Amino acid sequence: MSGYTIGIDLGTTGTKCVLFAPDAGIIAQASRSSQLFSPSPGHAEADPNEWLRNIHEAIRELLSTSGVRASDVAAVSASGMVPAVVVCDRTGTPVRRAILQNDARADVEVNELRAALAGIDMVSVTGSAVTQQSVAPTLSWLRRYEPDVWSRVSRVQGSYDWILTKLGAEPHVEQNWALESGLFRLDGSLLDAALVAAELDPTIIPAVKNPGAVVGTISSEAASATGLSTSTMLVVGGADHVLSAFAAGVESPGDWLVKLGGAGDILVASDRPITDERLYLDAHPKPGIWLPNGCMATSGSLIRWFQTLVGGAALTDLDDEAAGRPPADVLCLPYFLGEKSPLHDPMLRGAFVGLHLGHTRADLYRSVLEAIAFGFRHHAEVFRELNVPLTKARITNGGSKSTLWKQIHSEVLGAEMYPIIDHPGASIGAAFLAGLGSGLIDSWDEATVHVQLGAPVVPDPERQAIYEERYRLWRELGDAVRPISHRLAADRRQ
């Protein structure tokens, strides 16, 4: 059996691929940036064809830089944003840009579907409430506003499932895409009532597959584009936040993770399914473990927006400037794409409050970092309210490279935060699943062999006390601004 796997991670702002050996860890990495489109307020889209080009290039780079032969790559698996919506024609070709999980366009359709399904406890049945993240309202929006596009739709998939299909896999959707879509029950069966209410033909949703399942081999076309062999297996991966937590060693009840990606995720391992209308529920790749979680519409994407707004200053420079500014002197509401959990309100809008002429870009930048941390604090309070233990905290993904942002999270959350050393995020989780599915890896117990925790980031008691008071003020600010946000959002749409 060949000795390597490749893991792919489709992120909001970039695509990462890793070459992995079970006995040695990561051998090589390659990444490409991706463009995020927001053609109207609250819209978040990406070009699937750019994803595919990025993956072709990145895999060729992995083989070139590592010197690994294509015949030695046993399997490929993929991870990505969930539940992104890729609508395709009969050939599997996207008929428009993908609509991402933090898109907020379908607020009217969300309310319509909630009313139509009012007799069903959607949280208990599916694991999540009907929200802007649900797939059915997004598809209803497409039918209503893009009928020409909708008339050509024959298949709906998630981002990472579509990628595997383009590489040669049979069409499928992964179990957590299904779970978060709102179209399936917790047991994995289709929820007919949701399909009827949204007027959806069930045949447009492919079969549900679990992480680690083999769904094909590299096609000749994909082999030519990537340099891989047609004998390379394609293995079902999973949602980026789930595989990032999995690869960070989150598996024992109470383990929790703050994931600082394009969106903001917080996940807790549980030995039982936890359902609440404010949260989402995912299945851990390891059978018998659940991951109740929250996902905020913005995190790294908000930072990138601010970076562009101030002329493209380096994030390290912005960090250095902000480190010298007082904590929470300016309050930011991070709802620049509406908000997902725990508020589930696509009509919210962003705000900066408390400004005076003495403030600089450093104060605003620090307030953006703090706003995301406050959002995670809101989630942590929900978990504790539901008696979900929060024991050992980990922090990962691109944003965790910022010493300042890790420190802010530690102080806002009131917890020691353990960074994962050289953690490539969900791509390593996908690479592990490729190994498990192909037979290179024998047991789930091998998943944490390469996980290395750094020294914990410890909260400063003085700043922690300030954040405690400002967090309460931040919550009050959100309540006060909500009706104004709703009015502005409604006027803009009219």
Side-chain angles (χ1 to χ4, degrees), residues 5 12 22 78 85 94 110 166 178 182 211 224 234 241 270 303 311 316 327 365 396 424 429 438 447 460:
T5 66
T12 307
V85 175
V110 166
K166 292 300 291 183
S224 176
L234 295 167
H241 59 295
S270 172
I303 289 172
T316 51
Y365 177 70
T396 64
S438 64
D460 174 84

Side-chain angles (χ1 to χ4, degrees), residues 47-325:
D47 180 3
N49 295 310
E50 182 181 42
W51 296 338
L52 191 59
R53 289 193 300 271
N54 284 344
I55 287 165
H56 290 164
E57 293 176 4
I59 291 177
R60 288 198 301 268
E61 181 181 331
L62 290 179
L63 296 177
S64 174
T65 58
S66 68
V68 168
R69 295 179 301 177
S71 59
D72 289 333
V73 179
V76 174
S77 186
S79 177
M81 305 156 284
V82 66
V85 175
V86 184
V87 286
C88 304
D89 63 16
R90 288 182 177 86
T91 69
T93 301
V95 295
R96 74 175 319 279
R97 288 197 295 247
I99 299 176
L100 304 185
Q101 76 288 345
N102 53 356
D103 187 276
R105 75 186 66 200
D107 56 301
V108 171
E109 290 74 20
V110 166
N111 291 329
E112 290 173 348
L113 194 62
R114 283 175 181 166
L117 298 172
I120 300 175
D121 184 350
M122 292 292 286
V123 175
S124 297
V125 172
T126 70
S128 301
V130 179
T131 69
Q132 72 182 71
Q133 183 156 301
S134 304
V135 168
T138 298
L139 299 181
S140 295
W141 187 95
L142 284 174
R143 180 193 296 108
R144 176 172 291 168
Y145 294 105
E146 297 183 4
D148 291 342
V149 167
W150 183 251
S151 68
R152 292 182 284 148
V153 174
S154 293
R155 185 196 307 160
V156 178
Q157 289 183 277
S159 59
Y160 47 98
D161 301 322
W162 177 80
I163 281 294
L164 286 187
T165 301
K166 292 300 291 183
L167 292 177
E170 62 188 74
H172 64 280
V173 292
E174 183 265 333
Q175 66 170 342
N176 279 318
W177 186 94
L179 193 59
E180 291 204 27
S181 73
L183 298 173
F184 292 80
R185 296 181 178 86
L186 286 175
D187 64 6
S189 62
L190 277 167
L191 180 60
D192 294 335
L195 294 169
V196 171
E199 300 179 37
L200 297 178
D201 182 344
T203 63
I204 69 173
I205 310 293
V208 178
K209 300 291 184 179
N210 290 340
V214 178
V215 284
T217 57
I218 292 286
S219 67
S220 57
E221 181 182 2
S224 176
T226 61
L228 292 172
S229 166
T230 54
S231 64
T232 301
M233 286 181 268
L234 295 167
V235 178
V236 177
D240 57 358
H241 59 295
V242 170
L243 294 195
S244 188
F246 168 57
V250 174
E251 59 179 3
S252 299
D255 288 346
W256 57 299
L257 173 73
V258 169
K259 175 177 170 285
L260 301 175
D265 296 289
I266 180 170
L267 306 96
V268 187
S270 172
D271 56 6
R272 60 189 174 93
I274 304 292
T275 58
D276 186 276
E277 63 182 2
R278 293 166 292 183
L279 300 173
Y280 304 109
L281 179 64
D282 286 293
H284 195 285
K286 187 175 182 179
I289 305 296
W290 295 86
L291 289 168
N293 64 85
C295 179
M296 299 183 297
T298 61
S299 178
S301 57
L302 179 55
I303 289 172
R304 292 297 183 186
W305 170 83
F306 183 84
Q307 181 185 28
T308 301
L309 201 67
V310 295
L315 294 179
T316 51
D317 292 340
L318 291 173
D319 271 9
D320 290 343
E321 293 173 14
R325 306 305 297 167

Side-chain angles (χ1 to χ4, degrees), residues 362-385:
D363 297 285
L364 272 73
Y365 177 70
R366 184 175 185 117
S367 75
V368 168
L369 301 182
E370 292 164 341
I372 304 302
F374 285 151
F376 284 126
R377 168 68 179 270
H378 193 175
H379 283 88
E381 291 190 346
V382 172
F383 288 131
R384 292 190 176 98
E385 181 184 323

